[in-house]
Every structure is written in C-alpha cells, then in structure tokens.
Amino acid sequence: MKRYKLILFFNIFILLTASAQKIENLVELKQQSENRLFHRLDKAPRTPAFASEGYWVWGSSIVKGDDGKYHMFVSRFPKKLPFHPGWMVASEIVHAVSDIPQGPYRFSDIALPARGAQYWDGRSTHNPRILKQNGKYYLIYMGSTHPFAEPTYAQLTLDSPWCTVARANKRIGLAVADSPYGPWKRLDEPILKTQPGTFYSFLTSNPSPIIQEDGSVLMIFKGRHYTNNYEHSAMSLGIAYAPAIEGPYHVLNNNQPIFEVDGQGEAEDPFLWKDTEGYHILFKDHVAKFTGERGGGVMAHSENGIQWTVDKAPKAYSRTIEWEDGKVEMQGQLERPFIFFENGKPTYIFFATMDGPGGFENASHSWNMVIPIKDKE
C-alpha cells in the first residue's frame, strides 16, 4: 500500500510539473514572439472588468460616451441554466459604466431584454458590438427566439427542443439609441438573414462590424449552412457590406466564406478593425490549426476585407494569462476578443473568460476580463 501511494504521488508530481512547464513555455513563447500584439500584452488585473452575481457573463464591447464615461455592452444569462446552451435561449445584453476604460464596470441597466417569443430576437440577445456615429449609438448583435416555456437546468441540452429551435433562429440585428442609456429601438427584422444555397442558410451570428471613412459598414460574421433537411454544417466566417449602418447588408465574395473548414481553416469569434495598413482580424483558433493551441488567438490581414493572409507569426494571444499578482494560469476558456481603441491607438483588449480546466461544462463562473496593451514593444 505504501509503495502504491508513493507511485501515485510521484505520478501526480510529474503531471503537475509537466503542466507547469507547459505554461512556462507559453510565457517564453510570448516573449520570443514576433507577433506585434502578443508581444505588447501586459499583465492582467485580477479584478473582473465586469461580473454579475447569479449570472454567466460573456462577450463585451465598449464605447466612450458623450458624457466622458466608458460604456460596456455585455451578454449575461442566469446560472440556473447550464452555460452551454443557456446563452442561446436566455441571454440579455446589459449596459455597464466606468470612469476609466479598463473598468471595473458597474451595472447600469438592461439594454436589450427578452421581449416575447413573437419577435425574431424575443428570447435571447447576445454577442453585442457597440458603434457610435453622428451622435447616435448602434448595437449590432445576435438575436434568437423559441416558442417554449422556460426550461429547467436538466432539460436544456444541446439536443433539446429549446436549443434546436433557438440555434436555427439565430440572426444578426440592430438597435439604435440617442444615448448609451437608451431607450433602444430595435429593427423589426434582422439586418442579416439566412439565404438558401449559401454557407449561411442555417444561421447568421457573431457580428463584428466597423464603420468606414465614408460611413459604410463592413462586417465579419459567422454562418452555418444546412447539410440536409435537419443537420447543420461546421462554422464559417463571411464578410458583409452596407452603404450605411442601418443597411441594406449584402454578403460579399460571391456569397462564399472567407474562412471555412475546407479552406483557410475553421475560425470563430472574429474581431475586425481597420487602420492605415488595411484590415485586420483576431479570431479564436478553434481547433489549434494556426497557433498550435486550441482556443489561442490568431491574427490575419487583408487589403480589401475579402482575401485574407494569416500573419507570419499568427499567435496573437494565449489562454495562458500573466496576472498582476505574478501568477501564470491557463483559463478554461478565453473568447470574444474586443480591442478598445482610444485616439486611434489600441489600449486594452477585453475577453470573455471562465474558470475550470476547459470545456463549458467544467466552469463554475465566468466574467469579462481585460489586458492592457503596452504602447511599445
């Protein structure tokens, strides 16, 4: 028995040592990386940028208001439901405020609550992107609905009717307000619907828009298509254009995706921006094709927003985080990247994150976190 306990202890020690070494190697990789963003990521504060008691919290988007304060729009949904797929059936977009861009952000109000199953976005609003133009505020987001009563924790599974219907009803929509405090006027129809015979015939989701110099909008989004009458494909990313923020939107590239499983590779959670060098995106390396890390961040570039080249040093961030208290830890999940720019410079990157060893089912809480971006390498 003593010999068995000694062997067990030794094996646990080796496992923990190997895990620690893996994390240390990731930190070393960051220091040696040629990726310009990865090298500029500073240590992260432990205090969440936003958290909400009793709720799962996910991706956020931030804008500086006319009042000089910083306004975050962020998804949350009750912890009485499992994280995945709770967000599909019961998410709401809430508004939080801070005097400084890095937060922490204080809850202010519910921007886009549930409004009834008869509306296309009546049961869930998620994945917000906040934009400001000509004195107005615009929320582009994913919405969905379903006709069922509220599920219990045990009832809500990926194969349940709630998830099946809500997933198929995911669409991208728009809400407009004169103030970040609302009230928000939602459009009666989605701005980007599905289209038969395309890579987005099943759903549209995960919008990441930018307003260009001429007022037009370019938006990366996620799509899935039907593979037969009842199954859906893996995810793809596409690019849509509108001459003005309220539309109409149409998909570019001859209705073909810019990233897909059989093309460049599977990508998720895109964040799009534009500068003097062209268009750039960050996205989650869903299956570790580009960075060697499942859930790591990839950077890619484009001259026109349609043809994309993955960065020669693609790894822009890791699930392994350096905290201000000196600890180095791997997050269970690290998704929905959002870079906040002030005076044209990237100053902070926000993520949806959670604890646990990985996998949505292993988490006990989630929050929105922030990492400062150093001015120089």
Side-chain angles (χ1 to χ4, degrees), residues 67-189:
D67 57 2
K69 297 182 182 296
Y70 297 86
H71 299 268
M72 172 186 281
F73 293 84
V74 56
S75 303
R76 74 174 191 180
F77 44 105
K79 294 185 77 172
K80 66 181 181 180
L81 295 176
F83 180 93
H84 186 50
W87 61 274
M88 255 186 252
V89 302
S91 179
E92 60 187 8
I93 294 173
V94 301
H95 168 220
V97 184
S98 175
D99 294 326
I100 53 177
Q102 66 269 35
Y105 285 79
R106 304 173 304 279
F107 174 83
S108 172
D109 52 88
I110 302 173
L112 300 183
R115 59 173 179 163
Q118 69 270 31
Y119 295 96
W120 70 269
D121 62 347
R123 302 299 290 272
S124 182
T125 57
H126 199 65
N127 290 347
R129 282 288 186 257
I130 182 68
L131 301 170
K132 181 182 175 186
Q133 184 186 51
N134 300 328
K136 289 185 178 293
Y137 295 84
Y138 297 88
L139 263 175
I140 293 181
Y141 61 97
M142 183 280 290
S144 186
T145 190
H146 64 82
F148 308 114
E150 296 288 343
T152 65
Y153 194 103
Q155 286 176 322
L156 187 59
T157 67
L158 289 173
D159 296 324
S160 67
W162 290 270
C163 179
T164 300
V165 175
R167 188 196 293 274
N169 280 328
K170 288 166 62 177
R171 304 290 185 269
I172 294 171
L174 175 68
V176 187
D178 293 326
S179 163
Y181 296 91
W184 293 92
K185 180 182 179 181
R186 306 192 213 182
L187 299 190
D188 293 333
E189 297 289 337

Side-chain angles (χ1 to χ4, degrees), residues 1-18:
M1 179 61 71
K2 288 184 177 180
R3 182 173 181 271
Y4 172 78
K5 289 182 178 179
L6 183 61
I7 292 173
L8 179 62
F9 175 81
F10 181 77
N11 287 337
I12 292 173
F13 175 79
I14 292 295
L15 181 63
L16 292 174
T17 303

Side-chain angles (χ1 to χ4, degrees), residues 179-237:
S179 163
Y181 296 91
W184 293 92
K185 180 182 179 181
R186 306 192 213 182
L187 299 190
D188 293 333
E189 297 289 337
I191 60 172
L192 191 61
K193 299 180 180 180
T194 56
Q195 183 172 328
T198 68
F199 72 92
Y200 56 100
S201 64
F202 182 74
L203 62 77
T204 63
S205 184
N206 290 34
S208 184
I210 58 168
I211 300 176
Q212 304 191 97
E213 296 83 356
D214 62 358
S216 66
V217 173
L218 202 66
M219 179 174 70
I220 288 183
F221 69 99
K222 183 174 84 173
R224 294 183 189 267
H225 64 85
Y226 279 100
T227 57
N228 51 41
N229 287 332
Y230 56 90
E231 293 181 339
H232 61 77
S233 68
M235 69 189 78
S236 299
L237 295 185

